[in-house]
Amino acid sequence: QQQVKQSPQSLIVQKGGIPIINCAYENTAFDYFPWYQQFPGKGPALLIAIRPDVSEKKEGRFTISFNKSAKQFSLHIMDSQPGDSATYFCAARWSARQLTFGSGTQLTVLP
Amino acid sequence: DTGVSQNPRHKITKRGQNVTFRCDPISEHNRLYWYRQTLGQGPEFLTYFQNEAQLEKSRLLSDRFSAERPKGSFSTLEIQRTEQGDSAMYLCASRTTTEVYGYTFGSGTRLTVV
């Protein structure tokens, strides 16, 4: 119940493409859903986050879509750039406790 | 430096040795978390502190692992009698109690047990 399942494991897109990364969860008590970006040798950095009472949130080129009934959420990266090449993790948290992370998606944006 | 600082960045140790890692959180952050990340996986929760109190420990934290945050500031994570399976990146994160979205991660300590 504490798991967050993430797909795909890896993704390759051309510059300007819109990569989409998907996550699914089971625990309906989760109340906070962030996405983290991680570059090699660095810790994860918060990209964007959403609460379950909102269906969509945009920040710059990054958009989270949230489907509460399906218990799924996804990250869309608009106009992707080679600098977006990184590993992306979805996560979930309930009741101000620790984050539970997905297994990660390695994104490569080709120039 | 306003970030979360972790030392050392890399540690290579022989199996059976003890190792200790240090995390210096952002100064006003009263919550401090330790995570472990193995290659190709997401971070897994180990334990967290609110000030100096250790409030929760994961089942991943075996008896060989111990964490402290003696004065509610920096924290240490010690692994005794290291095993090859302990090889991983150990990440520290901190946040304030009230800023619920504000987890800030350090760059981690990469442990290699040979």
Side-chain angles (χ1 to χ4, degrees), chain A residues 32 36 38 41-44 46 51 89 93 96-99 101-103, chain B residues 9 31 35 37 40-43 45 56 91 95 100-101 103 105-107:
Chain A
Y32 168 61
Y36 281 82
Q38 186 175 31
K42 298 291 186 182
L46 178 65
R51 296 190 70 101
F89 294 96
R93 189 203 67 192
R97 297 175 70 177
Q98 68 277 5
L99 296 169
F101 284 85
S103 55
Chain B
R9 291 297 311 278
R31 287 211 172 177
Y35 285 82
Q37 185 176 24
Q41 297 298 316
F45 169 74
E56 189 166 344
L91 292 164
R95 70 173 180 91
V100 294
Y101 298 153
Y103 296 83
F105 280 83
S107 293

Side-chain angles (χ1 to χ4, degrees), chain B residues 51-114:
Chain B
N51 300 313
E52 65 274 12
Q54 188 173 17
L55 296 187
E56 189 166 344
K57 293 193 287 187
S58 161
R59 281 175 286 183
L60 291 176
L61 211 66
S62 75
D63 291 345
R64 297 184 297 105
F65 287 69
S66 63
E68 294 183 341
R69 193 181 184 197
K71 296 182 180 179
S73 57
F74 72 91
S75 175
T76 58
L77 178 67
E78 181 183 16
I79 309 174
Q80 296 182 326
R81 304 181 303 282
T82 52
E83 301 172 357
Q84 286 189 320
D86 297 331
S87 295
M89 174 80 85
Y90 290 84
L91 292 164
C92 176
S94 70
R95 70 173 180 91
T96 64
T97 308
T98 53
E99 190 183 354
V100 294
Y101 298 153
Y103 296 83
T104 302
F105 280 83
S107 293
T109 294
R110 178 162 295 285
L111 173 66
T112 302
V113 181
V114 297

Side-chain angles (χ1 to χ4, degrees), chain A residues 10-100:
Chain A
S10 63
L11 192 51
I12 300 175
V13 300
Q14 295 284 342
K15 177 182 173 181
I18 306 176
I20 301 172
I21 305 170
N22 301 299
C23 284
Y25 64 97
E26 288 296 323
N27 187 350
T28 55
F30 284 142
D31 60 4
Y32 168 61
F33 300 88
W35 284 90
Y36 281 82
Q37 180 188 56
Q38 186 175 31
F39 292 104
K42 298 291 186 182
L46 178 65
L47 204 54
I48 186 172
I50 199 168
R51 296 190 70 101
D53 53 349
V54 176
S55 61
E56 185 176 275
K57 183 174 181 180
K58 291 183 181 181
E59 283 186 6
R61 296 183 294 109
F62 301 95
T63 299
I64 299 179
S65 297
F66 189 86
N67 186 330
K68 188 175 181 178
S69 60
K71 292 186 282 187
Q72 295 176 347
F73 58 111
S74 59
L75 176 70
H76 302 231
I77 305 175
M78 307 300 177
D79 186 28
S80 58
Q81 301 295 314
D84 296 329
S85 297
T87 301
Y88 292 81
F89 294 96
C90 61
R93 189 203 67 192
W94 62 279
S95 190
R97 297 175 70 177
Q98 68 277 5
L99 296 169
T100 298

